[in-house]
Each structure stands twice: as structure tokens, then as C-alpha cells.
Amino acid sequence: MAGTRVLLGTEGAYPPFNYIDSAGELRGFDIEIARALCDAAGFDCAFVIQDWEGMIPGLLAKKYDAIVASMSITEQRREVVDFTNSYYDTPAKFVKAREAALEVPEELAATNAALAGLRIGVQRASSHAAFVGAELPDAELVAYATLEEAQLDLASGRLDLVLADSVVLLEGFLKTPAGAGFEFVGPNISVPEYHGHGAGIALRKGEDALREAFNAALRQIRADGRYQEINAKYFDFDVYDADN
């Protein structure tokens, strides 16, 4: 498959994994890993920007050949698309205002009662939205097109909590000026029913050769150190199997 033209769908609004920088360039961990994978597989790759809600529909409509956008490998998604092996795995976590007197229990069974009536922001059509909708029915789920919109509402006091990937919240919010005065609360959350088993590259069903080429390329960049070099540019821990 060397020389094959492969179009990759990504969101461009999920720092530090994929985002548009001040110069209008597509950046992030997803993007650099995708380029390394394409180089290892000998593919000629290009990116297509797509909003999150339309990501899988765009793949099925053949706007691109694969999705590299921190998409969790869940059983629900497996019903309509195939996935490569996971290329990173990080847990979810809640963020709140530091001054807010609220706690999130360590035990999932107690969480719904503890958060009853609170407004919880999530990205629409995400695994986190599925988790809150199913496991926290007594809370008020507030869904946004992008995580940035949820973070802005949290910062302005219109939300009590935001639930998202812990690394995205840490690097894209808590470590920024907008995140001053906010903090993580509660345990790491990784419920396979909702959060799956890491983030993988999504492909249309039946694209077995493309999937296996990406899997082989992932093994190669893990073995030759390219994965670790990219990881070190963004994180001070290994996101391949993180528990932060």
C-alpha cells in the first residue's frame, strides 16, 4: 500500500491532541502521531477538518478514509466503524472551581446522588456525554459542540463541573490562564462501557488492509522510538497507557 493517498479526518479543536495554532496550522499529538504512522506505512496523507458531531458520518460518507481525533474505542462505535489498536489511553476526570464546595465520591455508585441537580458540561456526542447521561441521571447534562465552549461556561460560572479527558483538561485548560482558580475533583474515571479501551484510528468497516497497515506502523514507531519522541514533546508521562 506504499504511496497510497489517505485522507485523515480530525477536529482541530481538542488541544493538546489536535488544534489549530495562531498561524492557522494544524498541530497536536494526534497530528504528529498520524504523520509518523503515515511515514512508517509509506502513505501520502492529508488532513480534513471536521466538527466532532459529524466525524463518523463524514467517514461513512467517504469525505476521508480514517479518523485520527482522539476517538475512544467503544462498543457502540464498533457497531458502525472499525478501529485500529489504541495509540493512547488516558482517563477522564471532573474539573470544578477551586472555591466550589463540592466533592465527587470515589465510588461510582454514590456519584449520582452526590451530584444531583448540578450542571455538568461535556462535549456533545462524546463518551463523557454518554457516561453522564446514563450514570448521572439526576444531574443536569449540558452538551456543547466543543470542549472549549464547556470550559468557557465553567469559567463564567454557568456550570458546576466539566467532565472530559484528564490530559486535555490539564494541558488545554488547567495549565492556561483561563484555568486559574480551577482544579480536578474526584477519581480517575474510565468505565469501558462508555470510555472504551483507549483512543484508536476509526475506519470504515471492511478496510482491513488499511487497519493492519496502521497497526503495523504503530508497532514500528513504538519500537524505533518515534512515538516516545512525540510523547515527550507534549507530556511528561507516557500516554500510551496512562493513569493520571
Side-chain angles (χ1 to χ4, degrees):
M1 299 183 70
T4 299
R5 177 72 164 174
V6 179
L7 296 180
L8 306 176
T10 197
E11 184 185 12
Y14 200 63
F17 290 100
N18 58 81
Y19 62 96
I20 307 295
D21 69 11
S22 59
E25 297 295 324
L26 192 57
R27 305 288 186 191
F29 179 80
D30 286 337
I31 307 308
E32 293 203 40
I33 289 294
R35 287 173 174 150
L37 293 174
C38 288
D39 180 69
F43 293 155
D44 175 18
C45 290
F47 290 94
V48 177
I49 304 297
Q50 171 67 55
D51 66 272
W52 179 254
E53 285 184 274
M55 197 67 69
I56 288 179
L59 176 67
L60 299 180
K62 299 187 177 181
K63 289 178 63 176
Y64 33 81
D65 305 299
I67 296 170
V68 188
S70 291
M71 183 168 282
S72 298
I73 303 169
T74 67
E75 291 307 311
Q76 183 178 20
R77 288 175 179 144
R78 281 187 186 276
E79 293 178 4
V80 292
V81 298
D82 282 342
F83 282 96
T84 64
N85 296 336
S86 168
Y87 64 94
Y88 82 86
D89 190 1
T90 53
K93 213 166 179 72
F94 286 103
V95 161
K96 71 174 183 71
R98 191 171 293 119
E99 64 184 19
L102 65 88
E103 297 295 333
V104 178
E106 292 290 323
E107 296 297 325
L108 177 59
T111 304
N112 182 51
L115 303 185
L118 299 185
R119 289 170 57 84
I120 302 176
V122 294
Q123 185 169 18
R124 192 177 298 128
S126 67
S127 56
H128 314 297
F131 171 81
V132 173
E135 298 293 336
L136 308 178
D138 293 334
E140 182 181 351
L141 185 154
V142 187
Y144 297 84
T146 68
L147 181 59
E148 182 182 14
E149 292 173 358
Q151 292 167 174
L152 288 171
D153 268 8
L154 179 68
S156 66
R158 289 190 284 267
L159 293 173
D160 299 295
L161 295 161
V162 164
L163 179 66
D165 181 271
S166 57
V167 175
V168 173
L169 288 172
L170 178 64
E171 301 292 336
F173 182 58
L174 294 179
K175 287 186 176 182
T176 71
F182 295 85
E183 64 185 7
F184 284 129
V185 60
N188 292 337
I189 300 173
S190 185
V191 181
E193 181 180 353
Y194 308 105
H195 300 105
H197 302 275
I201 298 172
L203 310 102
R204 288 183 294 275
K205 284 188 173 292
E207 297 284 353
D208 298 340
L210 183 58
R211 185 187 70 244
E212 290 310 313
F214 274 127
N215 282 337
L218 178 58
R219 291 191 294 270
Q220 182 175 329
I221 68 170
R222 288 284 297 172
D224 65 23
R226 278 182 283 178
Y227 182 102
Q228 292 81 355
E229 289 179 7
I230 296 168
N231 189 113
K233 290 177 62 175
Y234 292 91
F235 316 110
D236 58 6
F237 54 89
D238 185 3
V239 295
Y240 189 68
D241 188 12
D243 186 27
N244 299 281

